[in-house]
Amino acid sequence: MPFTLVSSLISDPSIYLHQVFQLTTSQIIKKEKKKKKRTTMSSITQGSYPPLLQDAEKERLVQVVKDWTVAHGLTVRPPPAIAGNDTEGILATSAPVTLFPSPFPKSCFEEAKAIQTTYNELYALISQDEEFLTEMVKEVAGGDEFIANLWNVHLRVKKEGYVQNLALGLFRSDYMVHQDDASLQIKQVEFNTIASSFGGLSTQTSLLHKHLAQHEYPLLSSSSSASNLDLPSNDSAAGLAAGLRAAFDAYGPSTLGHPTCVLFLTQTGERNVFDQRHLEYALTSSGPNKVPVFRLPFSDILTHTTLASTPTRQLLYTLPSNPSLVFEVAVVYLRAGYGPGDYPDQEAWEARYQIERSNAVCCPTVLTQLAGMKKVQQVLATPEESNSNSVPSALAKFMPPTAEKTQRLLKTFTNIYPLDTSSSGLHARSLATSPTQCQKYVMKPQREGGGNNFYRSAIPEQLAKIPEEHWNSFILMEIIEPPALANSILRNGKVEVGGVICELGVYGTCLWDQSSGEIKFNEEAGYLLRTKGDKSEEGGVAAGYGCMDSVTLV
Ligand code: ADP
Ligand code: MG
């Protein structure tokens, strides 16, 4: 039976899975085998997964998924194209999700989880190295006003002195599987240090696929390949909440006599609100003592928060619904503030400054946010020209070069180049401007949140629009091409079937002291699997490119 991809991404035509697939699973597999006569993920799954669905079976499965997702909060606010304006804010719909968990190599999954605490440590160390970050910012700020403004917030607070030394990271390291002759390996796509999302929905997605494996897949006529799935548990929501909890507890009681709280800074019109709510509920139900959690739009910071006129500069939050209640904010968790859109005017920068100079533990601080720049990832991955050592010196600066843990991180790096005038940068410039060579690369600015990168042919076109002196604000990264897989994606009520690409994210939580360097909490915190059509470059779920998925280990 031919698979037909019914593209249903109504909200944004640029992200249509713009092909109508006429491939069967076995055709995809044959194509893959022809291309590479060696071990592939498809051969690992023996070509019969996921099972082919008869129309009536698909209908049943879709109904079950639609109901389960809504019943368990695996949901998002619907896009306006689906729900109109929903002025009452009452509608929720299923998050896009695969009908089956995707096969993922067990060794890769375990390695990604095992190295997360080392990655946490690395990014805590980078956040503490102001000199290193100064260099990184210098490289890119000329062509990047947003980064320059962020840096300026840090400089202003530094001048008067930080009052809070604790910093919290809720991180996510993203990978794709890379296949070479001998083995399957994880290669890092990026490391997120701000607003690492989907930890809330990811736990629910793992539970959904477990439910289907137990109650639905056995009912399928060709169920054999979907029996005995290896579905690991996924405590991402609880894991991330435990990080917030550690920071809340470390802050201690208010010396001003207020109750303490955690403040989630959010974007106005956020559609991914239930993901955040799952974290909130996991946090409020964790531990014996109560943790009040409030959501505050980033644009309302200056309206509803003030700093105490004390040398400690406690951040005080007045509850808009009952202004007689004033809370001292122990932890500020940013699910906003990662892109220029949240800073429409100087007042928004003053708001960020107010948070940064306060006594609240910031998740993240400006320095930790900047540690997540793609430039940092590039410098960690690019070997220094004068350096014959196999460990890039920037990584050696933070981790003992010969230590096993350093070598394990190193294995996850893929080729990333600067676009400056160093000899590595000049080489990258020749790759990026060549119409043939550029096909293997993605060019990235210092941005988060999806939709900002330039892929393949778009790279020379984009460079032609930018003055050459600003090219160094970008990095050039080799495109990772994971093995072909097939799956079905349920999005806005429609099923899209065809080739897919999976991206694994591993969450990590870390609480450290910026001045002493002491790490007080360092945990791996569950995982995310995002899956997209194999003709789509971007993979963000919130941005509309990908969907939620979970792994079945192979
Ligand atoms: P953002 O910060 O906007 O999320 P990413 O670097 O994660 O930016 O890129 C967005 C998406 O583009 C990724 O989720 C992935 O699907 C794709 N992508 C990015 N870099 C690569 C790469 N080197 N190889 C393959 N795909 C990539
Ligand atoms: Mg990303």
Side-chain angles (χ1 to χ4, degrees):
M1 189 185 65
F3 280 2
T4 305
L5 177 135
V6 183
S7 190
S8 60
L9 286 158
I10 295 163
S11 59
D12 182 351
S14 69
I15 51 177
Y16 271 55
L17 303 183
H18 47 73
Q19 281 214 336
V20 175
F21 290 85
Q22 293 295 338
L23 298 178
T24 63
T25 314
S26 60
Q27 276 173 316
I28 289 170
I29 291 153
K30 269 189 210 143
K31 222 173 105 186
E32 183 62 20
K33 276 187 180 155
K34 213 169 166 184
K35 217 164 64 189
K36 300 168 185 143
K37 281 190 181 161
R38 54 193 186 215
T39 317
T40 65
M41 290 266 289
S42 312
S43 64
I44 287 173
T45 62
Q46 287 148 11
S48 56
Y49 183 88
L52 285 178
L53 297 176
Q54 305 300 321
D55 285 350
E57 292 178 326
K58 184 161 89 182
E59 206 177 305
R60 178 184 164 89
L61 201 54
V62 164
Q63 192 57 50
V64 169
V65 172
K66 283 199 286 195
D67 289 351
W68 194 100
T69 48
V70 173
H72 294 80
L74 178 41
T75 45
V76 291
R77 291 271 180 229
I82 296 275
N85 287 328
D86 186 24
T87 45
E88 305 296 332
I90 50 169
L91 298 179
T93 187
S94 309
V97 68
T98 56
L99 293 185
F100 295 90
S102 290
F104 201 90
K106 189 173 186 169
S107 57
C108 292
F109 182 77
E110 286 174 351
E111 182 63 6
K113 299 244 291 181
I115 60 177
Q116 186 57 38
T117 53
T118 309
Y119 261 123
N120 293 346
E121 192 190 329
L122 173 63
Y123 276 85
L125 288 167
I126 295 171
S127 303
Q128 289 163 52
D129 196 331
E130 202 219 7
E131 203 184 319
F132 173 75
L133 287 172
T134 305
E135 284 306 306
M136 298 300 100
V137 168
K138 249 197 232 159
E139 292 283 323
V140 299
D144 194 325
E145 202 188 351
F146 174 66
I147 297 293
N149 283 334
L150 267 178
W151 187 243
N152 195 38
V153 170
H154 161 67
L155 291 181
R156 284 173 74 191
V157 181
K158 186 186 164 196
K159 203 166 167 199
E160 60 189 333
Y162 276 86
V163 287
Q164 179 57 263
N165 286 329
L166 292 179
L168 175 67
L170 297 192
F171 298 138
R172 198 187 69 221
S173 186
D174 291 338
Y175 307 93
M176 284 180 180
V177 171
H178 167 78
Q179 179 177 275
D180 68 17
D181 285 332
S183 63
L184 296 164
Q185 284 177 359
I186 41 164
K187 291 291 176 190
Q188 188 178 56
V189 174
E190 68 155 340
F191 192 88
N192 299 281
T193 60
I194 183 165
S196 308
S197 53
F198 292 106
L201 296 190
S202 195
T203 295
Q204 300 309 102
T205 309
S206 293
L207 292 174
L208 165 69
H209 285 154
K210 274 185 194 213
H211 172 83
L212 298 177
Q214 207 174 359
H215 300 287
E216 294 299 323
Y217 304 152
L219 307 180
L220 300 173
S221 51
S222 60
S223 67
S224 60
S225 68
S227 57
N228 301 319
L229 297 179
D230 185 353
L231 307 177
S233 65
N234 185 12
D235 293 330
S236 47
L240 293 172
L244 289 165
R245 176 91 206 190
F248 178 79
D249 290 343
Y251 186 90
S254 164
T255 50
L256 301 175
H258 297 290
T260 50
C261 75
V262 175
L263 199 57
F264 284 26
L265 296 180
T266 59
Q267 288 181 325
T268 307
E270 174 67 78
R271 288 182 45 223
N272 193 25
V273 55
F274 305 109
D275 176 53
Q276 303 171 2
R277 287 288 190 187
H278 281 298
L279 287 198
E280 174 187 332
Y281 304 148
L283 179 56
T284 50
S285 63
S286 70
N289 58 327
K290 199 167 96 175
V291 185
V293 178
F294 300 105
R295 297 169 60 79
L296 177 67
F298 193 83
S299 52
D300 290 351
I301 293 172
L302 293 178
T303 314
H304 299 299
T305 72
T306 53
L307 293 188
S309 313
T310 65
T312 315
R313 303 199 291 262
Q314 293 92 340
L315 183 65
L316 303 176
Y317 171 65
T318 304
L319 195 67
S321 58
N322 178 0
S324 71
L325 287 180
V326 177
F327 289 81
E328 182 170 331
V329 182
V331 184
V332 175
Y333 173 46
L334 282 93
R335 290 296 293 258
Y338 52 80
D342 290 328
Y343 303 86
D345 49 29
Q346 191 50 36
E347 204 175 286
W349 285 108
E350 289 304 312
R352 182 68 189 266
Y353 169 61
Q354 173 147 308
I355 299 300
E356 186 75 7
R357 69 195 289 254
S358 81
N359 193 44
V361 179
C362 289
C363 178
T365 62
V366 167
L367 288 179
T368 302
Q369 179 173 349
L370 289 169
M373 283 189 299
K374 270 95 179 163
K375 182 72 196 170
V376 171
Q377 186 192 11
Q378 174 259 302
V379 167
L380 292 173
T382 307
E384 293 234 331
E385 280 137 26
S386 57
N387 182 9
S388 55
N389 192 331
S390 66
V391 177
S393 64
L395 181 59
K397 193 171 157 52
F398 299 105
M399 303 245 142
T402 54
E404 192 217 349
K405 63 179 185 180
T406 314
Q407 295 296 324
R408 284 169 81 174
L409 293 197
L410 204 55
K411 280 193 193 140
T412 67
F413 295 169
T414 188
N415 287 325
I416 316 179
Y417 303 96
L419 279 164
D420 57 16
T421 50
S422 65
S423 70
S424 176
L426 292 176
H427 173 60
R429 286 178 176 208
S430 73
L431 298 172
T433 50
S434 148
T436 48
Q437 299 280 8
C438 73
Q439 301 304 328
K440 292 192 212 127
Y441 294 92
V442 46
M443 184 173 83
K444 303 185 183 183
Q446 312 305 313
R447 288 290 174 279
E448 297 302 323
N452 301 302
N453 299 339
F454 301 92
Y455 298 85
R456 306 178 198 264
S457 307
I459 300 173
E461 283 166 27
Q462 182 59 23
L463 283 175
K465 294 182 201 156
I466 308 168
E468 219 168 295
E469 66 268 26
H470 290 164
W471 286 12
N472 52 353
S473 302
F474 294 80
I475 57 99
L476 189 74
M477 182 175 192
E478 217 166 65
I479 288 188
I480 310 159
E481 309 230 23
L485 290 171
N487 209 332
S488 303
I489 297 172
L490 178 64
R491 187 194 311 274
N492 295 336
K494 304 280 187 336
V495 178
E496 308 157 4
V497 185
V500 295
I501 288 175
C502 299
E503 183 171 349
L504 177 75
V506 176
Y507 296 99
T509 52
C510 197
L511 177 70
W512 68 92
D513 187 312
Q514 279 282 102
S515 55
S516 71
E518 184 196 353
I519 292 188
K520 293 172 173 290
F521 190 87
N522 181 6
E523 298 288 335
E524 176 258 304
Y527 82 92
L528 164 71
L529 193 72
R530 278 177 305 174
T531 290
K532 62 180 181 179
D534 63 4
K535 299 294 179 290
S536 165
E537 306 284 16
E538 289 271 345
V541 181
Y545 309 108
C547 78
M548 300 297 297
D549 196 351
S550 76
V551 299
T552 175
L553 299 176
V554 291

